[in-house]
Amino acid sequence: MKKIIIFAVLAIATQSSFAQFIKIGPKGGVNLSKVTGQSFKDEFNLGYYAGGFIELSLGNKWYLQPEVLFNENSVRRTNDFASLYNNLLKTDSLKNIKLQYISIPMVIGYKIANVLSIEGGAQYGIKMNQHETLLQNGKEAFKNGDLSLLAGVEFRLSKFRITARYAVGINSINDIDNRDKWKSQTVQAGIGFVF
């Protein structure tokens, strides 16, 4: 009986200290995104994201926050796209394009105050949709991966998190050629909850 009581006390103490070190939760929100380059309109378009995060405490002020998110970004191609890639473009190709990614952000944060922290990091996006209707013969127009740098702020209201973040792509996602460099830019705003 003593062993059971000691084990229960140790389990409760371990769980309590573990809960202070690691927090998990869901998050979601809106994306305002665009792709730079003459092939796409220079405007931000509305999309969304949803997923989850793990917050790992690195002391009183610092934390590491890996995330897994589903991102949908919308972009609109211009007539320049058609003139640059006339021989590749399908006649019924899309004008409005939705890019869907599984994104894996790795963020490090610093708590400025109890309710406010700043964040920075990197994100790798794995393209989910292929958009075979855009180019002839099913050739892909967009690369399968998008690497971005992140910066943002997070408001911490008890168990709720309100996040605003900016992501800028550092590699071209043009998978056709090097004539036009396509780089992603996204502004995110959303909410999360810590269990």
Side-chain angles (χ1 to χ4, degrees):
M1 186 67 160
K2 280 185 181 180
K3 289 181 182 180
I4 294 173
I5 293 172
I6 291 172
F7 179 74
V9 168
L10 285 174
I12 291 169
T14 303
Q15 183 178 6
S16 163
S17 65
F18 184 71
Q20 291 175 351
F21 173 72
I22 185 169
K23 297 175 180 164
I24 63 170
K27 68 184 305 186
V30 296
N31 289 330
L32 291 173
S33 59
K34 71 176 180 176
V35 173
T36 61
Q38 68 185 63
S39 297
F40 297 96
K41 293 202 175 200
D42 190 18
E43 63 186 15
F44 284 95
N45 295 291
L46 190 62
Y48 67 92
Y49 73 93
F53 66 94
I54 299 172
E55 183 183 301
L56 305 168
S57 176
L58 302 175
N60 291 336
K61 296 282 189 180
W62 293 93
Y63 60 91
L64 183 66
Q65 187 168 297
E67 303 173 2
V68 176
L69 305 172
F70 175 82
N71 272 297
E72 183 171 281
N73 300 326
S74 299
V75 295
R76 296 181 64 198
R77 69 175 179 83
T78 63
N79 291 331
D80 289 337
F81 187 104
S83 62
L84 277 171
Y85 302 110
N86 188 7
N87 58 333
L88 296 175
L89 199 63
K90 275 184 138 181
T91 54
D92 63 342
S93 69
L94 302 169
K95 194 94 167 154
N96 298 321
I97 301 165
K98 293 199 183 301
L99 297 172
Q100 297 173 338
Y101 290 92
I102 295 294
S103 299
I104 305 165
M106 185 64 68
V107 175
I108 189 158
Y110 180 77
K111 299 173 191 168
I112 296 173
N114 287 338
V115 296
L116 179 66
S117 62
I118 56 172
E119 300 178 334
Q123 167 178 284
Y124 186 73
I126 302 163
K127 184 171 60 111
M128 301 299 296
N129 56 341
Q130 302 304 315
H131 280 296
E132 293 178 354
T133 58
L134 189 61
L135 300 177
Q136 294 175 2
N137 302 322
K139 181 169 170 51
E140 293 183 25
F142 298 92
K143 288 187 178 170
N144 289 327
D146 184 17
L147 183 61
S148 302
L149 295 178
L150 306 171
V153 295
E154 184 174 81
F155 296 96
R156 302 164 159 263
L157 308 170
S158 184
K159 292 186 178 245
F160 290 95
R161 306 287 190 259
I162 301 170
T163 306
R165 191 180 284 172
Y166 176 69
V168 60
I170 58 174
N171 65 308
S172 176
I173 56 175
N174 181 343
D175 203 27
I176 303 170
D177 58 26
N178 291 324
R179 281 187 278 179
D180 192 13
K181 303 271 190 227
W182 305 345
K183 293 190 177 182
S184 64
Q185 291 184 25
T186 305
V187 177
Q188 287 184 334
I191 58 170
F193 181 81
V194 172
F195 291 117

